[in-house]
Amino acid sequence: GNSVTQMEGPVTLSEEAFLTINCTYTATGYPSLFWYVQYPGEGLQLLLKATKADDKGSNKGFEATYRKETTSFHLEKGSVQVSDSAVYFCALSDGAGTASKLTFGTGTRLQVTL
Amino acid sequence: NAGVTQTPKFQVLKTGQSMTLQCAQDMNHNSMYWYRQDPGMGLRLIYYSASEGTTDKGEVPNGYNVSRLNKREFSLRLESAAPSQTSVYFCASSNLAGGPYEQFFGPGTRLTVL
C-alpha cells in the first residue's frame, strides 16, 4: 500500500535560517504529492503540490521538487519567519478509482524563534 | 464562499453517549472525507464519499457511521462514544475532475470523551 515517511520533529530554527523537512514515499503508479500546513488551532491548508516527476511546487517562499528516482518530495525554504511556525504534513494521492484518498505522513512541527 | 464548514467546534461527551458531527461544503465538490487526527499519527481516514449517494470505509471506520445527505453535506455519527474516540475530527472535500485531487479541509471538531 501507499505510505509517506516524514522526518521526526520538532524542528527548531532561528528566524532567517534555512529549512528542510524530508519526505519520502512509497506508492504504485504516479502519485500526486502535496505539502499541507496546519497552524495552531486550525485545519490543514494546502501549501504546494506537484503532479509529475521533476515538477517543482512553490508557494510563500516554500519549494518542493518531485523526485521519482529517490521517491522524495522534500520541503525547503531559504529564510524562515516566526509566522512559519506550524505543523507540516507531506501527503500523496494516487488518484485511483472514483475517489482519490490522501495518505499523510505523521507531520513535522516547526518552531521558529527570534 | 465559506469553503468547508464543521459544527460543532468543541464537544465533550460521556462514554456511551451519541452525537453527530456536521460538515458542509459550498465548492460543488463531488467527494467528501472524514479524518481523525491523533498526536504522532497524522491524519487517518475514517470514511469517505466519492459522490452523492455513496459511502465507503477508510482506514479506521469502527465505531462510526456516515451519511451523505446531499452533495453539500456529509455527517459523521458516533453511536456509543468511547474514550478512544477522543480526537480532532476533520472533514474535507475534493473535486476529482482532472486531478490533482487536492483536498480542502474544514477547521475541525475537537471531541473529548470522558
Short mmCIF file of all heavy atoms in Angstrom, two decimals, chain B residues 35-82:
data_model
loop_
_atom_site.label_atom_id
_atom_site.label_comp_id
_atom_site.label_asym_id
_atom_site.label_seq_id
_atom_site.Cartn_x
_atom_site.Cartn_y
_atom_site.Cartn_z
N TYR B 35 -11.70 12.55 8.57
CA TYR B 35 -10.44 12.11 9.15
C TYR B 35 -10.47 12.33 10.66
O TYR B 35 -11.17 13.19 11.16
CB TYR B 35 -9.27 12.94 8.62
CG TYR B 35 -8.97 12.79 7.15
CD1 TYR B 35 -9.58 13.61 6.21
CD2 TYR B 35 -8.04 11.85 6.71
CE1 TYR B 35 -9.28 13.50 4.86
CE2 TYR B 35 -7.74 11.73 5.36
CZ TYR B 35 -8.36 12.56 4.44
OH TYR B 35 -8.07 12.45 3.11
N ARG B 36 -9.62 11.58 11.34
CA ARG B 36 -9.30 11.91 12.73
C ARG B 36 -7.81 12.15 12.84
O ARG B 36 -7.01 11.53 12.11
CB ARG B 36 -9.76 10.82 13.70
CG ARG B 36 -9.20 9.45 13.50
CD ARG B 36 -9.71 8.48 14.57
NE ARG B 36 -9.12 8.76 15.87
CZ ARG B 36 -9.51 8.18 17.02
NH1 ARG B 36 -10.49 7.29 17.02
NH2 ARG B 36 -8.93 8.48 18.16
N GLN B 37 -7.46 13.07 13.75
CA GLN B 37 -6.06 13.44 13.94
C GLN B 37 -5.70 13.18 15.39
O GLN B 37 -6.28 13.77 16.29
CB GLN B 37 -5.81 14.91 13.60
CG GLN B 37 -4.34 15.29 13.72
CD GLN B 37 -4.08 16.75 13.38
OE1 GLN B 37 -4.94 17.61 13.56
NE2 GLN B 37 -2.90 17.03 12.87
N ASP B 38 -4.73 12.32 15.57
CA ASP B 38 -4.23 11.99 16.90
C ASP B 38 -2.74 12.29 16.97
O ASP B 38 -2.03 12.16 15.96
CB ASP B 38 -4.49 10.51 17.21
CG ASP B 38 -5.96 10.17 17.14
OD1 ASP B 38 -6.70 10.71 17.97
OD2 ASP B 38 -6.36 9.41 16.23
N PRO B 39 -2.25 12.66 18.14
CA PRO B 39 -0.83 13.04 18.26
C PRO B 39 0.09 11.95 17.75
O PRO B 39 -0.05 10.78 18.11
CB PRO B 39 -0.67 13.25 19.77
CG PRO B 39 -2.03 13.61 20.26
CD PRO B 39 -2.98 12.82 19.41
N GLY B 40 1.06 12.32 16.91
CA GLY B 40 2.05 11.38 16.41
C GLY B 40 1.56 10.42 15.35
O GLY B 40 2.32 9.55 14.92
N MET B 41 0.30 10.57 14.92
CA MET B 41 -0.24 9.60 13.95
C MET B 41 -0.73 10.26 12.67
O MET B 41 -1.31 9.60 11.82
CB MET B 41 -1.37 8.79 14.58
CG MET B 41 -0.94 8.08 15.84
SD MET B 41 -2.10 6.83 16.37
CE MET B 41 -1.84 5.58 15.15
N GLY B 42 -0.54 11.53 12.53
CA GLY B 42 -1.01 12.18 11.32
C GLY B 42 -2.52 12.14 11.23
O GLY B 42 -3.22 12.08 12.23
N LEU B 43 -3.02 12.15 10.01
CA LEU B 43 -4.46 12.06 9.78
C LEU B 43 -4.80 10.67 9.27
O LEU B 43 -4.12 10.16 8.37
CB LEU B 43 -4.92 13.10 8.77
CG LEU B 43 -5.20 14.49 9.31
CD1 LEU B 43 -3.92 15.23 9.59
CD2 LEU B 43 -6.09 15.27 8.37
N ARG B 44 -5.86 10.11 9.82
CA ARG B 44 -6.29 8.79 9.37
C ARG B 44 -7.72 8.89 8.85
O ARG B 44 -8.58 9.50 9.50
CB ARG B 44 -6.19 7.78 10.51
CG ARG B 44 -4.74 7.49 10.94
CD ARG B 44 -4.70 6.44 12.03
NE ARG B 44 -5.26 6.95 13.27
CZ ARG B 44 -5.53 6.19 14.34
NH1 ARG B 44 -5.32 4.90 14.28
NH2 ARG B 44 -6.03 6.74 15.43
N LEU B 45 -7.96 8.28 7.71
CA LEU B 45 -9.26 8.36 7.05
C LEU B 45 -10.26 7.43 7.73
O LEU B 45 -10.00 6.24 7.90
CB LEU B 45 -9.10 7.99 5.58
CG LEU B 45 -10.33 8.09 4.70
CD1 LEU B 45 -10.80 9.55 4.60
CD2 LEU B 45 -10.04 7.54 3.31
N ILE B 46 -11.42 7.99 8.08
CA ILE B 46 -12.46 7.20 8.73
C ILE B 46 -13.43 6.65 7.69
O ILE B 46 -13.64 5.45 7.59
CB ILE B 46 -13.22 8.06 9.76
CG1 ILE B 46 -12.26 8.67 10.78
CG2 ILE B 46 -14.28 7.22 10.47
CD1 ILE B 46 -12.92 9.71 11.68
N TYR B 47 -14.05 7.54 6.96
CA TYR B 47 -14.98 7.21 5.88
C TYR B 47 -14.83 8.26 4.79
O TYR B 47 -14.38 9.37 5.04
CB TYR B 47 -16.44 7.25 6.37
CG TYR B 47 -16.99 5.96 6.92
CD1 TYR B 47 -16.93 5.70 8.29
CD2 TYR B 47 -17.59 5.02 6.09
CE1 TYR B 47 -17.45 4.53 8.81
CE2 TYR B 47 -18.12 3.84 6.60
CZ TYR B 47 -18.05 3.60 7.96
OH TYR B 47 -18.57 2.44 8.48
N TYR B 48 -15.26 7.89 3.60
CA TYR B 48 -15.30 8.86 2.52
C TYR B 48 -16.51 8.59 1.64
O TYR B 48 -17.11 7.52 1.68
CB TYR B 48 -14.01 8.86 1.71
CG TYR B 48 -13.73 7.58 0.94
CD1 TYR B 48 -14.03 7.49 -0.42
CD2 TYR B 48 -13.16 6.49 1.56
CE1 TYR B 48 -13.77 6.34 -1.12
CE2 TYR B 48 -12.90 5.32 0.87
CZ TYR B 48 -13.19 5.25 -0.48
OH TYR B 48 -12.94 4.09 -1.17
N SER B 49 -16.83 9.62 0.84
CA SER B 49 -17.96 9.53 -0.08
C SER B 49 -17.48 10.04 -1.43
O SER B 49 -17.17 11.22 -1.58
CB SER B 49 -19.12 10.38 0.42
OG SER B 49 -20.12 10.47 -0.56
N ALA B 50 -17.38 9.14 -2.39
CA ALA B 50 -16.87 9.51 -3.71
C ALA B 50 -17.84 10.44 -4.43
O ALA B 50 -17.43 11.32 -5.19
CB ALA B 50 -16.61 8.27 -4.54
N SER B 51 -19.11 10.22 -4.19
CA SER B 51 -20.12 11.05 -4.84
C SER B 51 -21.40 10.93 -4.04
O SER B 51 -21.54 10.06 -3.17
CB SER B 51 -20.35 10.60 -6.28
OG SER B 51 -20.78 9.25 -6.32
N GLU B 52 -22.34 11.78 -4.33
CA GLU B 52 -23.62 11.77 -3.63
C GLU B 52 -24.25 10.38 -3.75
O GLU B 52 -24.31 9.82 -4.83
CB GLU B 52 -24.54 12.83 -4.24
CG GLU B 52 -25.82 13.05 -3.50
CD GLU B 52 -26.67 14.13 -4.15
OE1 GLU B 52 -26.17 14.79 -5.08
OE2 GLU B 52 -27.82 14.30 -3.73
N GLY B 53 -24.65 9.83 -2.61
CA GLY B 53 -25.29 8.53 -2.61
C GLY B 53 -24.38 7.36 -2.36
O GLY B 53 -24.83 6.22 -2.25
N THR B 54 -23.06 7.60 -2.25
CA THR B 54 -22.12 6.51 -1.99
C THR B 54 -21.26 6.84 -0.79
O THR B 54 -20.88 8.01 -0.58
CB THR B 54 -21.19 6.26 -3.19
OG1 THR B 54 -20.30 7.36 -3.34
CG2 THR B 54 -21.98 6.06 -4.47
N THR B 55 -20.95 5.81 0.00
CA THR B 55 -20.00 5.96 1.11
C THR B 55 -19.16 4.70 1.20
O THR B 55 -19.63 3.61 0.84
CB THR B 55 -20.70 6.19 2.46
OG1 THR B 55 -21.53 5.07 2.76
CG2 THR B 55 -21.54 7.46 2.44
N ASP B 56 -17.92 4.86 1.67
CA ASP B 56 -17.02 3.72 1.81
C ASP B 56 -16.15 3.88 3.04
O ASP B 56 -15.87 5.00 3.48
CB ASP B 56 -16.11 3.61 0.58
CG ASP B 56 -16.83 3.05 -0.61
OD1 ASP B 56 -17.10 1.84 -0.62
OD2 ASP B 56 -17.14 3.85 -1.52
N LYS B 57 -15.72 2.74 3.57
CA LYS B 57 -14.87 2.75 4.75
C LYS B 57 -13.45 3.16 4.39
O LYS B 57 -12.94 2.84 3.33
CB LYS B 57 -14.84 1.35 5.38
CG LYS B 57 -16.18 0.90 5.92
CD LYS B 57 -16.08 -0.51 6.48
CE LYS B 57 -17.45 -0.96 7.02
NZ LYS B 57 -17.38 -2.34 7.56
N GLY B 58 -12.85 3.86 5.35
CA GLY B 58 -11.44 4.20 5.23
C GLY B 58 -10.61 3.29 6.09
O GLY B 58 -10.92 2.12 6.27
N GLU B 59 -9.58 3.87 6.67
CA GLU B 59 -8.61 3.10 7.45
C GLU B 59 -9.13 2.71 8.84
O GLU B 59 -8.83 1.63 9.34
CB GLU B 59 -7.34 3.93 7.59
CG GLU B 59 -6.18 3.27 8.32
CD GLU B 59 -5.01 4.24 8.47
OE1 GLU B 59 -5.06 5.37 7.92
OE2 GLU B 59 -4.04 3.86 9.16
N VAL B 60 -9.92 3.59 9.46
CA VAL B 60 -10.36 3.37 10.85
C VAL B 60 -11.85 3.61 11.02
O VAL B 60 -12.29 4.50 11.74
CB VAL B 60 -9.55 4.27 11.82
CG1 VAL B 60 -8.13 3.79 11.96
CG2 VAL B 60 -9.59 5.73 11.38
N PRO B 61 -12.72 2.77 10.41
CA PRO B 61 -14.16 3.05 10.43
C PRO B 61 -14.91 2.55 11.67
O PRO B 61 -16.06 2.96 11.89
CB PRO B 61 -14.64 2.27 9.19
CG PRO B 61 -13.70 1.10 9.13
CD PRO B 61 -12.36 1.65 9.56
N ASN B 62 -14.28 1.68 12.47
CA ASN B 62 -15.03 1.05 13.56
C ASN B 62 -15.51 2.07 14.57
O ASN B 62 -14.74 2.90 15.05
CB ASN B 62 -14.16 0.00 14.25
CG ASN B 62 -13.92 -1.20 13.35
OD1 ASN B 62 -14.59 -1.38 12.34
ND2 ASN B 62 -12.93 -2.01 13.69
N GLY B 63 -16.79 1.98 14.93
CA GLY B 63 -17.38 2.88 15.91
C GLY B 63 -18.01 4.12 15.31
O GLY B 63 -18.53 4.96 16.05
N TYR B 64 -17.98 4.21 13.99
CA TYR B 64 -18.52 5.39 13.30
C TYR B 64 -19.50 4.98 12.20
O TYR B 64 -19.40 3.90 11.64
CB TYR B 64 -17.39 6.19 12.63
CG TYR B 64 -16.28 6.62 13.55
CD1 TYR B 64 -15.13 5.84 13.67
CD2 TYR B 64 -16.37 7.79 14.28
CE1 TYR B 64 -14.09 6.23 14.51
CE2 TYR B 64 -15.33 8.18 15.12
CZ TYR B 64 -14.21 7.39 15.22
OH TYR B 64 -13.19 7.79 16.06
N ASN B 65 -20.41 5.89 11.90
CA ASN B 65 -21.26 5.77 10.71
C ASN B 65 -21.31 7.14 10.02
O ASN B 65 -21.08 8.17 10.67
CB ASN B 65 -22.68 5.34 11.09
CG ASN B 65 -22.74 3.88 11.43
OD1 ASN B 65 -22.40 3.01 10.63
ND2 ASN B 65 -23.14 3.58 12.66
N VAL B 66 -21.63 7.11 8.74
CA VAL B 66 -21.69 8.37 8.00
C VAL B 66 -22.96 8.41 7.16
O VAL B 66 -23.56 7.38 6.86
CB VAL B 66 -20.48 8.56 7.06
CG1 VAL B 66 -19.20 8.81 7.86
CG2 VAL B 66 -20.32 7.38 6.13
N SER B 67 -23.33 9.64 6.79
CA SER B 67 -24.44 9.85 5.88
C SER B 67 -24.07 10.97 4.91
O SER B 67 -23.66 12.05 5.36
CB SER B 67 -25.71 10.26 6.64
OG SER B 67 -26.15 9.23 7.47
N ARG B 68 -24.21 10.67 3.62
CA ARG B 68 -24.03 11.73 2.62
C ARG B 68 -25.43 12.24 2.33
O ARG B 68 -26.18 11.67 1.53
CB ARG B 68 -23.37 11.19 1.36
CG ARG B 68 -23.10 12.26 0.31
CD ARG B 68 -21.96 13.15 0.71
NE ARG B 68 -21.70 14.20 -0.24
CZ ARG B 68 -20.83 14.11 -1.24
NH1 ARG B 68 -20.14 12.99 -1.44
NH2 ARG B 68 -20.65 15.13 -2.06
N LEU B 69 -25.80 13.30 2.96
CA LEU B 69 -27.18 13.80 2.95
C LEU B 69 -27.56 14.36 1.59
O LEU B 69 -28.69 14.21 1.13
CB LEU B 69 -27.33 14.86 4.04
CG LEU B 69 -26.95 14.38 5.45
CD1 LEU B 69 -26.92 15.55 6.41
CD2 LEU B 69 -27.91 13.31 5.93
N ASN B 70 -26.63 15.02 0.96
CA ASN B 70 -26.79 15.58 -0.38
C ASN B 70 -25.38 15.92 -0.86
O ASN B 70 -24.40 15.56 -0.21
CB ASN B 70 -27.70 16.81 -0.35
CG ASN B 70 -27.32 17.78 0.75
OD1 ASN B 70 -26.17 18.20 0.81
ND2 ASN B 70 -28.25 18.09 1.64
N LYS B 71 -25.26 16.61 -1.97
CA LYS B 71 -23.93 16.88 -2.48
C LYS B 71 -23.12 17.75 -1.53
O LYS B 71 -21.90 17.65 -1.43
CB LYS B 71 -24.01 17.54 -3.86
CG LYS B 71 -22.68 17.61 -4.58
CD LYS B 71 -22.83 18.08 -6.00
CE LYS B 71 -21.49 17.99 -6.73
NZ LYS B 71 -21.60 18.42 -8.14
N ARG B 72 -23.78 18.63 -0.79
CA ARG B 72 -23.08 19.58 0.09
C ARG B 72 -22.69 19.01 1.44
O ARG B 72 -21.72 19.45 2.03
CB ARG B 72 -23.98 20.79 0.34
CG ARG B 72 -24.21 21.71 -0.83
CD ARG B 72 -24.99 22.94 -0.36
NE ARG B 72 -24.22 23.73 0.59
CZ ARG B 72 -24.53 23.88 1.86
NH1 ARG B 72 -25.57 23.26 2.39
NH2 ARG B 72 -23.78 24.64 2.67
N GLU B 73 -23.48 18.06 1.97
CA GLU B 73 -23.36 17.72 3.38
C GLU B 73 -22.97 16.26 3.60
O GLU B 73 -23.49 15.33 2.95
CB GLU B 73 -24.68 17.99 4.09
CG GLU B 73 -25.10 19.45 4.05
CD GLU B 73 -26.49 19.65 4.59
OE1 GLU B 73 -27.46 19.27 3.90
OE2 GLU B 73 -26.61 20.19 5.71
N PHE B 74 -22.09 16.07 4.59
CA PHE B 74 -21.58 14.73 4.91
C PHE B 74 -21.41 14.68 6.42
O PHE B 74 -20.56 15.37 6.98
CB PHE B 74 -20.25 14.53 4.19
CG PHE B 74 -19.67 13.14 4.26
CD1 PHE B 74 -20.47 12.02 4.17
CD2 PHE B 74 -18.30 12.96 4.37
CE1 PHE B 74 -19.93 10.75 4.20
CE2 PHE B 74 -17.74 11.69 4.40
CZ PHE B 74 -18.55 10.57 4.32
N SER B 75 -22.21 13.86 7.10
CA SER B 75 -22.18 13.84 8.56
C SER B 75 -21.51 12.56 9.07
O SER B 75 -21.53 11.52 8.42
CB SER B 75 -23.59 13.95 9.13
OG SER B 75 -24.37 12.85 8.73
N LEU B 76 -20.94 12.68 10.26
CA LEU B 76 -20.27 11.55 10.93
C LEU B 76 -20.95 11.32 12.27
O LEU B 76 -21.09 12.24 13.06
CB LEU B 76 -18.79 11.89 11.16
CG LEU B 76 -17.96 10.85 11.89
CD1 LEU B 76 -17.69 9.64 11.00
CD2 LEU B 76 -16.62 11.45 12.36
N ARG B 77 -21.37 10.09 12.53
CA ARG B 77 -22.08 9.78 13.77
C ARG B 77 -21.32 8.79 14.62
O ARG B 77 -20.81 7.78 14.12
CB ARG B 77 -23.48 9.23 13.46
CG ARG B 77 -24.30 8.96 14.70
CD ARG B 77 -25.76 8.88 14.42
NE ARG B 77 -26.52 8.57 15.63
CZ ARG B 77 -26.91 9.48 16.53
NH1 ARG B 77 -26.60 10.77 16.36
NH2 ARG B 77 -27.60 9.11 17.59
N LEU B 78 -21.24 9.12 15.91
CA LEU B 78 -20.73 8.21 16.91
C LEU B 78 -21.93 7.69 17.68
O LEU B 78 -22.61 8.45 18.35
CB LEU B 78 -19.78 8.93 17.87
CG LEU B 78 -18.39 9.30 17.37
CD1 LEU B 78 -18.44 10.42 16.33
CD2 LEU B 78 -17.51 9.71 18.53
N GLU B 79 -22.23 6.42 17.57
CA GLU B 79 -23.43 5.86 18.19
C GLU B 79 -23.26 5.66 19.70
O GLU B 79 -24.19 5.87 20.47
CB GLU B 79 -23.78 4.51 17.54
CG GLU B 79 -24.26 4.62 16.11
CD GLU B 79 -25.65 5.26 15.99
OE1 GLU B 79 -26.30 5.52 17.02
OE2 GLU B 79 -26.06 5.54 14.84
N SER B 80 -22.08 5.23 20.11
CA SER B 80 -21.82 5.00 21.53
C SER B 80 -20.36 5.37 21.77
O SER B 80 -19.46 4.56 21.57
CB SER B 80 -22.08 3.53 21.88
OG SER B 80 -21.78 3.28 23.24
N ALA B 81 -20.16 6.62 22.18
CA ALA B 81 -18.80 7.16 22.24
C ALA B 81 -17.94 6.42 23.27
O ALA B 81 -18.42 6.01 24.35
CB ALA B 81 -18.84 8.64 22.55
N ALA B 82 -16.66 6.28 22.93
CA ALA B 82 -15.67 5.65 23.80
C ALA B 82 -14.49 6.59 23.98
O ALA B 82 -14.22 7.41 23.09
CB ALA B 82 -15.20 4.34 23.19
#
